[in-house]
Amino acid sequence: MELKLYVDRISQPSRAILIFCKANGIEFEEVKIDLAKKQHHFPEFAEVNPMKQVPAIVHGDFKLFESHAILIYLASAFPGVAHHWYPADVQKRAKIHSVLDWHHSNLRRGSVGYIFNTAVALALGLPANPQAAAEGEELMSASLAKLDSFWLEGDAPFLLGNSKPSIADLALVCEIMQLEFADEEDRERILGPHKRILKWIKDTKNATAPYFDEIHSIMVPIREKLKELKVQASEK
Amino acid sequence: MELKLYVDRLSQPSRAVLIFCKANEIEFEEVSIKLGKLQHRSPEYAEINPMKQVPAIVHGDFKLSESHAILIYLASAFPGVADHWYPADVHKRAKIHSVLDWHHSNLRRGSLGYHFNTGIALAFGLPLDPKAAAEGEKLLSASLATIESLWLEGDGPFLLGNSQPSIADIALVCEIMQLEVADEKDRDRILAGHKRVLKWIEDTKNATAPYFDEFHSLMPFAKEKLKELKAQASKQ
């Protein structure tokens, strides 16, 4: 049964799904939905995902959107996926759901607000909202602090005291990687103090090598492109 | 094994968890954490849930926060729960995850923004923000339209075309019920035209009777209290 991933590698949750599939040997066709070219607004894509967002998948004739739902589905539907990604144990699973739920209104919300209003908006010719950027940064910093003090436990390399990564590690680390679009000094200010988080990012990269770096290889070129577009937009 | 629910009946996700347990005859002890009295900020409660939010549960020595994770856990851990609440089928389950994920950034976010900035902020000694209220209402309305046209599509009366309710129905309907504390004219304006949504609310109430009404019985009282607070605030 054919699996198609409708993704844009600029999108954090898109990357999480791509890496997950590659790391688990799940075959798929990658269908690029170019957000900068507004392809997510095309009527054909609305047939795949009426919410007009990436990522979305089609597996046979089964359509699904929302990245956490997709990660859980892939972990459940493909028998080759190692147990640690989405354990069968009801309590371990519940903790993964808990951090994925927390993510929506915390790390993700903060990150999106910050990155959009500092790195992306002006590049796309859209107004940037400095207040929203500041609120985004505040929420993101509070979220990173919570990751440091609560979600990452003891000496365990992964979230929730786990010795091996789960879908939650991939989802949240891909979000933090979006900071690659920020200026180096901003990235250093926000992320620099969190040594434990930096180690966790490295551990997650290593656990999904070489795919993590492969899928994230576009980050620096995109950052440079965004900078270029920002300059062009301000010259107009 | 003892189950404790740390809840405030004024909180939408708290009500969802309470109604789910009652409707499924899951025994529990209800521990009231009064948000209006800032009890969620006490050091004792931080031991239960470091995120300082309700609902949270303790089952034996297992602690869990985030209402969707809690609903899934309860549906999975208690053998008496009927399959339709959280089906074992991987595809049906994925769709439920999808709508619960969508809920965070759409209906819940819009609803919270609207209610907080039209009244609830006053209960915490904070000013109302009309701009944030308007943004909240816009997102709330858009979310109701999406429920009307997309999530309620299909043969059955419940979300995702299901003929029986799932945890998603309880979670989302409890959110919409928060409109019972708003002024009638605002509630009517926001719900206007959404015939399917109104029927679905009734169907969900009936499927969980008499518990749904039992846990929503304090809404008129909350509405009066909020009116008082608004009246006081406008005199200052």
Side-chain angles (χ1 to χ4, degrees):
Chain A
M1 202 159 48
E2 198 186 39
L3 174 66
K4 287 185 177 180
L5 307 185
Y6 294 80
V7 287
D8 184 334
R9 295 183 182 203
I10 199 178
S11 130
Q12 311 83 307
S14 287
R15 295 196 296 270
I17 285 161
L18 285 162
I19 296 165
F20 180 79
C21 285
K22 291 223 174 198
N24 283 286
I26 295 172
E27 281 184 30
F28 60 89
E29 181 191 337
E30 179 175 354
V31 180
K32 180 170 182 179
I33 301 296
D34 195 324
L35 298 176
K37 292 183 182 161
K38 303 220 188 324
Q39 287 179 354
H40 52 307
H41 290 307
F42 289 179
E44 308 82 59
F45 184 61
E47 294 285 308
V48 173
N49 181 6
M51 298 312 299
K52 306 182 186 186
Q53 291 172 318
V54 291
I57 68 167
V58 182
H59 188 209
D61 52 19
F62 178 65
K63 296 176 189 172
L64 190 65
F65 57 88
E66 282 294 340
S67 66
H68 300 172
I70 292 171
L71 286 165
I72 291 172
Y73 173 74
L74 295 173
S76 308
F78 286 85
V81 174
H83 188 253
H84 58 81
W85 289 107
Y86 189 59
D89 176 77
V90 171
Q91 293 191 348
K92 287 189 177 168
R93 198 171 264 203
K95 294 283 188 174
I96 288 170
H97 294 149
S98 190
V99 68
L100 284 172
D101 282 342
W102 170 87
H103 180 39
H104 283 283
S105 316
N106 290 276
L107 181 64
R108 174 129 182 94
R109 184 169 173 170
S111 169
V112 166
Y114 175 71
I115 295 288
F116 183 77
N117 288 292
T118 52
V120 176
L122 293 173
L124 298 181
L126 295 165
N129 182 337
Q131 198 200 331
E135 281 169 13
E137 185 177 336
E138 199 186 324
L139 183 53
M140 196 168 42
S141 291
S143 303
L144 292 171
K146 258 303 182 287
L147 279 163
D148 232 325
S149 65
F150 178 67
W151 295 113
L152 288 166
E153 290 172 33
D155 289 326
F158 298 104
L159 292 171
L160 305 163
N162 289 331
S163 56
K164 292 196 194 174
S166 72
I167 52 177
D169 295 281
L170 209 39
L172 273 68
V173 169
C174 283
E175 189 66 54
I176 298 174
M177 290 302 286
Q178 207 72 345
L179 278 168
E180 294 288 304
F181 292 157
D183 291 337
E184 197 166 331
E185 46 175 68
D186 295 324
R187 199 164 67 241
E188 183 53 39
R189 179 183 72 250
I190 295 167
L191 204 48
H194 297 289
K195 300 283 177 266
R196 198 185 227 190
I197 291 180
L198 291 168
K199 182 181 180 298
W200 165 54
I201 293 170
K202 225 178 185 175
D203 288 334
T204 303
K205 270 194 209 192
N206 291 339
T208 52
Y211 310 111
F212 192 98
D213 281 335
E214 180 197 311
I215 300 295
H216 281 91
S217 61
I218 50 143
M219 301 303 279
V220 171
I222 291 180
R223 179 174 74 218
E224 296 309 308
K225 185 93 190 127
L226 288 172
K227 273 187 183 162
E228 226 180 87
L229 289 169
K230 229 186 195 178
V231 167
Q232 285 171 22
S234 65
E235 278 165 4
K236 285 182 189 156
Chain B
M1 201 160 49
E2 199 186 39
L3 174 66
K4 287 185 177 181
L5 307 185
Y6 294 80
V7 288
D8 183 333
R9 295 183 183 200
L10 290 173
S11 130
Q12 309 84 308
S14 287
R15 294 195 295 270
V17 173
L18 285 162
I19 293 166
F20 179 78
C21 283
K22 283 261 181 169
N24 284 284
E25 297 178 337
I26 295 171
E27 282 185 27
F28 60 88
E29 181 192 336
E30 179 178 352
V31 181
S32 178
I33 302 293
K34 293 199 186 330
L35 301 175
K37 294 194 175 147
L38 301 181
Q39 289 176 354
H40 55 303
R41 295 189 192 162
S42 73
E44 300 81 49
Y45 187 62
E47 294 285 309
I48 300 294
N49 182 10
M51 300 304 165
K52 306 181 188 191
Q53 291 171 318
V54 290
I57 67 166
V58 181
H59 189 210
D61 52 19
F62 177 65
K63 295 176 189 170
L64 190 65
S65 66
E66 284 295 338
S67 66
H68 300 173
I70 292 171
L71 287 165
I72 291 172
Y73 173 75
L74 295 173
S76 308
F78 287 85
V81 175
D83 183 74
H84 62 81
W85 289 109
Y86 188 61
D89 176 77
V90 170
H91 294 93
K92 289 185 180 174
R93 196 172 267 203
K95 293 283 186 175
I96 288 170
H97 294 149
S98 189
V99 67
L100 284 173
D101 282 341
W102 170 89
H103 179 38
H104 283 283
S105 315
N106 290 276
L107 180 65
R108 175 119 181 101
R109 183 169 172 171
S111 172
L112 274 177
Y114 174 73
H115 289 292
F116 191 78
N117 291 292
T118 50
I120 307 277
L122 297 173
F124 292 97
L126 294 166
L128 300 180
D129 181 339
K131 185 163 172 261
E135 279 169 16
E137 185 176 333
K138 193 172 164 195
L139 183 54
L140 174 56
S141 291
S143 302
L144 290 170
T146 301
I147 294 172
E148 183 84 13
S149 66
L150 174 72
W151 295 116
L152 285 172
E153 209 177 37
D155 296 324
F158 296 103
L159 293 171
L160 305 161
N162 288 334
S163 55
Q164 287 178 285
S166 71
I167 53 177
D169 295 281
I170 299 188
L172 273 67
V173 170
C174 282
E175 190 65 55
I176 299 172
M177 289 302 287
Q178 205 70 355
L179 282 167
E180 296 291 308
V181 304
D183 291 338
E184 283 95 10
K185 62 176 199 329
D186 295 323
R187 187 184 80 232
D188 292 343
R189 179 183 73 249
I190 291 168
L191 285 171
H194 297 301
K195 292 198 163 58
R196 255 179 166 175
V197 167
L198 291 168
K199 183 179 179 301
W200 162 59
I201 293 170
E202 275 311 300
D203 288 333
T204 305
K205 273 193 206 189
N206 292 337
T208 52
Y211 311 111
F212 191 98
D213 283 336
E214 183 191 313
F215 287 108
H216 283 90
S217 61
L218 81 171
M219 305 302 274
F221 161 77
K223 180 167 152 185
E224 287 315 305
K225 253 319 278 147
L226 213 48
K227 267 189 181 162
E228 272 171 43
L229 281 171
K230 285 186 203 179
Q232 284 169 23
S234 62
K235 280 182 195 155
Q236 287 160 2

